[in-house]
Amino acid sequence: MKVLGACPLDCPDACSWVVDVQDGRAAGLRGNKEHPVTRGALCVKVNRYLEQVHSPERLTRPLRRVGRKGEGRFEPISWDEALDEIAERLTGIIAEYGGEAVWPFHGTGSLGYIQGLEGLSGRRFFNTLGASRHDPTICSVAGTVGLEYTLGTAGGMDPENLAASKLILLWGTNPMTSGHHVWKFIQDSGAYTVAIDPVRTKTAERCDEHLAPLPGTDAALALGLMHVIVGLGAQDEEFLAAHTEGWPEFRSRIAEYPPERAAAITGVPVERIVALGERIARTRPTAIRASQGMQRHAGGGMALRTLACLPGVTGDWAIRGGGLHYSTSGHFRLDTPALTRFDLLPQPVRTLSMTRMGEALLDPDGPPVHALFVIGANPVGSNPDQRRVIEGLSRADLFTVVLEHFPTDTVDYADIVLPATMQPEHLDVLAAYGNLYLVWNEPAVAPPGDCLPTTETFRRLARRMGLTEPALYESDEELANQLLKQYDVDRLRAEGFLKIAPGPVPAGKLRFVSNLAERDGHAPLAGYTPPADPGDGLVLISAASHYFLNTGFGSNPELRRRAGELRVTIHPDDAAARGIADGDPVTVGNDRGSFDAIAEVSDTVRPGVAATPKGRWAKHSGGATVNATIAERDSDYGGGAVFHDNRVRITPRLQE
Ligand SMILES: Nc1nc2c(c(=O)[nH]1)N[C@H]1C(S)=C(S)[C@@H](COP(=O)(O)OP(=O)(O)OC[C@H]3O[C@@H](n4cnc5c(=O)[nH]c(N)nc54)[C@H](O)[C@@H]3O)O[C@H]1N2
Ligand SMILES: Nc1nc2c(c(=O)[nH]1)N[C@H]1C(S)=C(S)[C@@H](COP(=O)(O)OP(=O)(O)OC[C@H]3O[C@@H](n4cnc5c(=O)[nH]c(N)nc54)[C@H](O)[C@@H]3O)O[C@H]1N2
Ligand code: SF4
Ligand SMILES: [Mo]
């Protein structure tokens, strides 16, 4: 039997897949050939997804902690025991401290709307209790807000239209690793491709040209390019007059960034800026494919905001194959409020930011958190300021429940662990953020052991606590129908995917001057905001690993073998200055923390920059990963994280 499903992982592509079920077991998994973006192919990670599903390491029983927090010693218990204990602890905590002492911490392990982050699975239950809100700030919010200021939407262009582009700027994005299906459309276009990335990534290797700016300086580069374009008189006056607001002010802003100044800020040679500016000036349509990488900086929101102005100056927004693609999420008309039901909150509650977990657990601005539910997240591995996160999770008075598939670093700090179903075992719906398809995931097989869908876990917990709100007991099908009111659910379910129609971009006029930004307390005019880490040393970029998905797959034996030992890449000049040779053991650190790695001396990173992949498990890495060095500091817009705005010292590690 073949069953249509969807990849739930935090990846722009949201592949449609086909599960081959034999004797009630998922025996095969392949990409859906019918899906126009998946085109039959998954990826190096998800080709091994069934190894994960059938892994002997998989958590299949509820567990109760028996050792110290962090030790990772547990005993299996029944669901009845687990639910009784959770219900009792929650009731006590809420009676003593109020509902806001409860924090449902949702991560990106699954982006599903029914079981995962996008519908904040379980949120109805938490609303009934009056729990704190959770703001998933860790990934893309700064760029989203920045684009909304300029465009009135973060939706952007349909990436399938990249096939019609003549010039494509791959700006702070590494799709060959972080979502490769878009590359087909880029390849089909035959366009001239330019990678703009401090690191010569797998993507940059494939491009016609590569510019390596200093991290966090992209808006200055964009302004320099626009300076060249306007200097040639290549701005689209008609588009500017009809579809934009604030052009005179923005034109003055551009005038502040002649190529020489942009070169001084970005470290890109002036002649390269001039040449690329000239190329953009004469090439219609030009498209920008940007993604989340470049906005993990103090000025990350502003970077996307200013980048989205560029196709406004050239008029590319009006041409098929022109514009900017960051995320397509803004185009889906999904009724998430119907899923999350924040109207069930008995009173207004505070919001806790995902990226500020250390602060929220140790030094809260408001009442302390006493009960933490970690759902599809691995904050020990993925959050900034690992040492403080661990310190917070180690609090003896914190009651922590972790819903998981694998014994992650975070699981080790749980009081109760609940085993969750994996994608072939439950119903879900995905909306891609790198294309315009909804994808349906039909349950294909029964779960192993005692694993339960997240929805069912919270239905049972609600019953155990005697909650009477009917919305807490609706089935997964009912939830899906409520979410998808605007779409043909029967067709989606039958065919496995459905392309939606995008809204207009820009929505209304493109705003070089944004009232919304001003209202939020930000500069009204788009511009450049420099990086902020005040430390010395090299800027350390910790971007997507080719072999892991955040910390997911982090214990898969074959992927670990292929990823090899943990390396930090340093430019030969920077290595020489520190007496470091290729293959040397080094310590990478700053005032926040440090981790150990092997030096890879290579000019794939520009001078002043070092790179190491994200996603390693602390318990495989001597107790600390790159996230020990990252500051729990907000980016400019939306409280986003600043993973790549991180200065470190790299020193040789003496071996005994
Ligand atoms: N294999 C794999 N795929 C993934 C993930 C994974 O962990 N592994 N993660 C998934 C997730 S959660 C997300 S959000 C997406 C993210 O996907 P991407 O947006 O591709 O994010 P990153 O990998 O953080 O960064 C992309 C590139 O930005 C570059 N970069 C960093 N700072 C700057 C800067 O200041 N300017 C410029 N121009 N470039 C900069 C980095 O060197 C990197 O090559 O990928 C998803 N896909
Ligand atoms: N240094 C550095 N750190 C980063 C980044 C970076 O660029 N550099 N990028 C950041 C980004 S973009 C993101 S999105 C975050 C991600 O941070 P997190 O949201 O913490 O994501 P993961 O580390 O993948 O952890 C997800 C966990 O969910 C589990 N899981 C998967 N599916 C399900 C499910 O259906 N139910 C349940 N209960 N669990 C499930 C997986 O086993 C995994 O352990 O990491 C951030 N961390
Ligand atoms: S991780 Fe991305 S590329 Fe890989 S199967 Fe999932 S959606 Fe497709
Ligand atoms: Mo992300």
Side-chain angles (χ1 to χ4, degrees):
M1 185 179 61
K2 308 264 195 250
V3 182
L4 287 172
C7 176
L9 301 178
D10 187 350
C11 166
D13 297 357
C15 286
S16 169
W17 72 29
V18 186
V19 187
D20 182 16
V21 181
Q22 288 176 18
D23 304 326
R25 188 182 148 91
L29 182 70
R30 61 168 176 78
N32 184 354
K33 294 198 180 72
E34 311 296 326
H35 187 287
V37 178
T38 305
R39 303 197 209 191
L42 298 173
C43 65
V44 69
K45 311 168 293 293
V46 176
N47 286 336
R48 300 190 172 274
Y49 191 82
L50 291 186
E51 288 175 16
Q52 301 291 95
V53 170
H54 302 307
S55 166
E57 247 206 320
R58 184 155 168 207
L59 302 171
T60 57
R61 308 271 170 229
L63 303 173
R64 179 195 286 132
R65 180 167 59 80
V66 291
R68 271 183 299 105
K69 288 199 177 189
E71 235 175 34
R73 288 202 295 125
F74 295 95
E75 61 179 6
I77 52 174
S78 68
W79 268 104
D80 277 337
E81 289 172 285
L83 293 172
D84 280 342
E85 183 160 341
I86 296 170
E88 191 191 317
R89 291 296 301 268
L90 272 183
T91 307
I93 286 167
I94 293 168
E96 192 168 351
Y97 304 102
E100 281 185 320
V102 182
W103 185 7
F105 184 99
H106 284 92
T108 68
S110 163
L111 293 191
Y113 277 82
I114 309 300
Q115 309 297 345
L117 174 75
E118 300 276 33
L120 297 177
S121 190
R123 186 65 225 191
R124 287 178 174 191
F125 168 78
F126 290 108
N127 283 338
T128 318
L129 302 183
S132 290
R133 286 174 179 251
H134 170 76
D135 192 2
T137 45
I138 208 157
C139 179
S140 58
V141 67
T144 300
V145 173
L147 291 174
E148 283 168 354
Y149 289 158
T150 300
L151 301 170
T153 166
M157 66 183 285
D158 178 354
E160 288 182 70
N161 286 345
L162 288 170
S165 305
K166 295 280 191 321
L167 169 60
I168 301 174
L169 311 180
L170 290 125
W171 205 319
T173 185
N174 181 16
M176 290 317 300
T177 283
S178 57
H180 68 87
H181 292 84
V182 74
W183 193 258
K184 271 302 226 173
F185 300 101
I186 295 171
Q187 217 169 20
D188 291 350
S189 71
Y192 187 84
T193 49
V194 183
I196 301 174
D197 196 310
V199 182
R200 197 164 77 236
T201 59
K202 282 181 195 292
T203 302
E205 297 274 8
R206 291 190 173 215
C207 287
D208 294 302
E209 196 179 327
H210 173 216
L211 261 53
L214 285 163
T217 65
D218 301 280
L221 179 59
L223 288 161
L225 294 170
M226 288 186 258
H227 193 285
V228 177
I229 293 163
V230 173
L232 293 167
Q235 70 273 23
D236 185 335
E237 294 290 357
E238 252 171 69
F239 184 89
L240 287 165
H243 302 293
T244 71
E245 269 174 24
W247 171 237
E249 292 90 330
F250 192 59
R251 192 178 179 143
S252 307
R253 174 55 46 88
I254 292 173
E256 295 166 18
Y257 289 86
E260 295 72 21
R261 181 170 178 218
I265 296 172
T266 62
V268 176
V270 65
E271 61 278 8
R272 301 286 302 278
I273 297 177
V274 172
L276 183 57
E278 289 173 355
R279 189 182 286 278
I280 299 170
R282 63 172 186 266
T283 314
R284 303 278 71 71
T286 289
I288 300 172
R289 160 55 168 151
S291 57
Q292 293 70 37
M294 87 158 81
Q295 50 97 61
R296 311 199 199 287
H297 291 276
M302 182 62 101
L304 265 305
R305 183 180 168 192
T306 299
L307 232 62
C309 294
L310 201 159
V313 172
T314 56
D316 276 305
W317 278 118
I319 316 173
R320 192 169 156 271
L324 179 146
H325 158 53
Y326 172 73
S327 161
T328 49
S329 298
H331 288 302
F332 291 85
R333 297 191 313 279
L334 299 167
D335 197 347
T336 15
L339 279 192
T340 50
R341 294 292 307 271
F342 280 100
D343 59 295
L344 294 175
L345 279 171
Q347 68 273 325
V349 295
R350 66 162 165 204
T351 300
L352 296 170
S353 171
M354 182 171 185
T355 40
R356 306 296 288 250
M357 184 183 230
E359 179 188 71
L361 293 182
L362 293 172
D363 184 19
D365 182 18
V369 174
H370 285 279
L372 177 72
F373 281 73
V374 179
I375 306 163
N378 183 9
V380 171
S382 285
N383 261 66
D385 212 342
Q386 191 166 65
R387 283 205 315 206
R388 298 243 309 158
V389 166
I390 289 175
E391 202 186 320
L393 291 172
S394 304
R395 262 177 47 196
D397 63 334
L398 180 69
F399 177 62
T400 301
V401 179
V402 180
L403 282 68
E404 251 300 346
H405 300 150
F406 287 95
T408 64
D409 291 322
T410 302
V411 163
D412 289 350
Y413 293 86
D415 292 284
I416 300 281
V417 183
L418 300 177
T421 43
M422 291 183 77
Q423 196 74 345
E425 300 148 9
H426 58 222
L427 183 147
D428 217 333
V429 177
L430 275 289
Y433 63 93
N435 59 63
L436 291 170
Y437 293 84
L438 285 168
V439 200
W440 184 272
N441 183 76
E442 190 70 24
V445 294
D450 293 339
C451 294
L452 285 183
T454 306
T455 45
E456 181 58 20
T457 297
F458 286 106
R459 283 190 283 261
R460 291 192 188 189
L461 198 49
R463 202 166 291 125
R464 191 65 50 134
M465 292 184 71
L467 302 175
T468 53
E469 167 55 50
L472 301 180
Y473 300 100
E474 285 173 343
S475 71
D476 294 355
E477 273 90 351
E478 283 170 306
L479 296 176
N481 281 318
Q482 290 161 14
L483 175 77
L484 296 167
K485 280 198 268 298
Q486 303 254 13
Y487 298 104
D488 184 344
V489 182
D490 293 336
R491 201 182 131 204
L492 171 62
R493 196 166 186 172
E495 296 177 12
F497 59 88
L498 186 73
K499 186 167 185 182
I500 60 135
V505 188
K509 292 203 170 176
L510 182 146
R511 289 180 167 77
F512 297 117
V513 175
S514 162
N515 297 334
L516 219 58
E518 194 172 17
R519 190 204 62 193
D520 293 347
H522 305 305
L525 179 62
Y528 164 60
T529 306
D533 191 334
D536 52 1
L538 304 174
V539 183
L540 179 63
I541 289 178
S542 50
S545 157
H546 198 68
Y547 301 101
F548 307 123
L549 198 299
N550 292 317
T551 65
F553 299 90
S555 63
N556 180 283
E558 176 59 15
L559 291 171
R560 273 182 78 186
R561 191 190 66 73
R562 292 175 72 173
E565 55 194 351
L566 181 59
R567 267 170 275 219
V568 60
T569 312
I570 322 173
H571 189 271
D573 296 349
D574 291 325
R578 289 163 179 75
I580 294 169
D582 190 59
D584 280 357
V586 291
T587 296
V588 182
N590 54 30
D591 297 347
R592 295 174 283 273
S594 67
F595 67 101
D596 291 342
I598 300 297
E600 177 183 58
V601 178
S602 157
D603 68 357
T604 53
V605 292
R606 57 155 297 140
V609 173
T612 194
K614 68 171 168 177
R616 295 287 173 139
W617 287 23
K619 61 173 106 178
H620 299 155
S621 317
T625 71
V626 58
N627 288 48
T629 64
I630 291 159
E632 208 173 81
R633 185 158 34 77
D634 288 352
S635 66
D636 48 356
Y637 301 158
V642 293
F643 293 108
H644 307 324
D645 194 341
N646 180 31
R647 287 194 181 263
V648 293
R649 296 179 289 272
I650 303 185
T651 47
R653 181 157 38 99
L654 300 177
Q655 289 185 303
E656 29 322 318

